[in-house]
């Protein structure tokens, strides 16, 4: 009761539009050899940054600098279905989850496949979700779409946050796992407070737990 669903795609789209409008964001693919390190910060093309934060998921640029952090990544797959003659207003959590996306479309999933390197939807993932869905529902439905993604997960199920042990201006906020949407806003504030004011990070998420 009283639960809400955030439309993440719409939220990110609107947020990106806001940042672009205010000249706070530019989209580019950064390569490791394009970052020039100095005593005062990082040079990237014609831009200079005092600090760089890697929040780049399971296969991003951070792997070149934070290669000592162990991950146990989890692939997840989702079906988007359109039921036939069935109208659902609530979220259902059972063998799999059913969440209304709009008036006629529903999100069904997700599952876990550990340490997969393949981000593409699979027949095995499709079959697992369908089997679970059919185990507790009786309505007919059409599968409109089948999507997949890989979550960056730490071994101890705590995010990796903090400064690189040797590169003073390099920071990381990664390994959020399946709770990234809810964890990222909280820990991004904590990380910025740590960078700007030296406010200690939670010991449970500080990368020092891995380095020390």
């Amino acid at each position: 009761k009283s639960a809400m669903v955030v439309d993440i795609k719409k939220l990110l789209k609107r947020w990106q539009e806001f940042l672009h409008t205010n000249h706070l964001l530019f989209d580019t693919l950064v390569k490791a050899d394009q970052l020039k390190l100095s005593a005062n910060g990082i040079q990237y093309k014609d831009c200079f940054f005092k600090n760089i934060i890697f929040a780049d998921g399971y296969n991003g640029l951070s792997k070149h600098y934070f290669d000592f952090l162990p991950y146990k990544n989890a692939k997840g797959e989702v079906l988007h279905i359109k039921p036939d003659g069935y109208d659902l207003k609530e979220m259902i959590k059972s063998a799999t989850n059913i969440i209304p996306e709009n008036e006629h479309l529903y999100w069904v999933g997700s599952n876990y496949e550990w340490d997969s390197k393949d981000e593409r939807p699979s027949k095995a993932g499709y079959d697992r979700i369908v089997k679970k869905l059919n185990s507790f529902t009786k309505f007919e439905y059409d599968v409109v779409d089948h999507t997949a993604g890989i979550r960056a997960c730490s071994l101890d199920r705590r995010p990796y946050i903090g400064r690189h042990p040797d590169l003073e201006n390099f920071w990381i906020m990664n390994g959020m796992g399946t709770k990234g949407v809810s964890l990222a806003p909280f820990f991004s504030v904590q990380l910025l407070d740590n960078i700007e004011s030296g406010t200690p990070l939670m010991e449970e998420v500080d990368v020092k737990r891995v380095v020390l």
Side-chain angles (χ1 to χ4, degrees):
K1 291 184 177 180
S2 302
M4 300 289 180
V5 177
V6 178
D7 188 331
I8 299 302
K9 290 182 179 180
K10 185 179 292 185
L11 173 67
L12 290 177
K13 185 175 184 294
R14 295 290 185 267
W15 179 236
Q16 288 173 338
E17 290 172 354
F18 171 83
L19 293 176
H20 278 299
T21 300
N22 290 276
H23 308 290
L24 297 171
L25 176 70
F26 63 93
D27 298 313
T28 184
L29 178 62
V30 181
K31 298 181 180 179
D33 59 4
Q34 295 175 319
L35 298 178
K36 308 301 180 183
L37 311 185
S38 69
N40 299 317
I42 304 101
Q43 184 82 26
Y44 170 70
K45 295 184 178 180
D46 59 347
C47 299
F48 181 83
F49 302 94
K50 183 178 179 181
N51 295 288
I52 181 170
I53 301 172
F54 296 92
D56 51 1
Y58 88 103
N59 193 33
L61 192 61
S62 61
K63 66 183 179 183
H64 295 283
Y65 305 101
F66 291 85
D67 56 355
F68 54 87
L69 295 177
Y71 289 90
K72 187 175 178 63
N73 299 318
K75 179 179 179 179
E77 302 190 43
V78 170
L79 299 183
H80 304 268
I81 67 168
K82 184 177 182 180
D84 182 14
Y86 185 78
D87 185 23
L88 175 70
K89 300 299 183 184
E90 295 80 23
M91 295 181 287
I92 293 178
K93 184 173 179 64
S94 187
T96 190
N97 301 321
I98 307 176
I99 300 175
E101 290 191 285
N102 56 44
E103 188 175 352
H104 302 293
L105 201 63
Y106 300 86
W107 182 103
V108 181
S110 174
N111 55 3
Y112 295 86
E113 182 182 339
W114 298 105
D115 292 321
S116 174
K117 307 299 184 198
D118 184 355
E119 296 184 59
R120 293 173 297 180
S122 67
K123 185 178 184 305
Y126 180 100
D127 292 342
R128 280 195 296 269
I129 297 174
V130 167
K131 182 178 180 180
K132 289 181 179 181
L133 178 61
N134 292 344
S135 70
F136 69 97
T137 61
K138 296 182 179 180
F139 56 81
E140 299 293 326
Y141 57 87
D142 293 320
V143 176
V144 178
D145 197 10
H146 177 200
T147 58
I150 296 182
R151 319 167 182 96
C153 301
S154 65
L155 290 184
D156 59 3
R157 301 184 69 182
R158 299 292 184 271
Y160 292 135
I161 302 174
R163 187 177 72 84
H164 192 283
D166 301 314
L167 302 173
E168 184 175 352
N169 307 98
F170 280 48
W171 305 76
I172 193 165
M173 193 179 86
N174 212 0
M176 295 285 164
T178 60
K179 304 298 182 184
V181 169
S182 54
L183 293 179
F186 175 83
F187 283 117
S188 62
V189 173
Q190 190 173 114
L191 176 58
L192 291 175
D193 286 343
N194 179 251
I195 295 173
E196 296 295 329
S197 307
T199 305
L201 294 165
M202 290 176 58
E203 293 181 1
E204 292 88 346
V205 304
D206 197 323
V207 292
K208 291 180 180 178
R209 73 186 190 276
V210 179
V211 179
L212 299 179

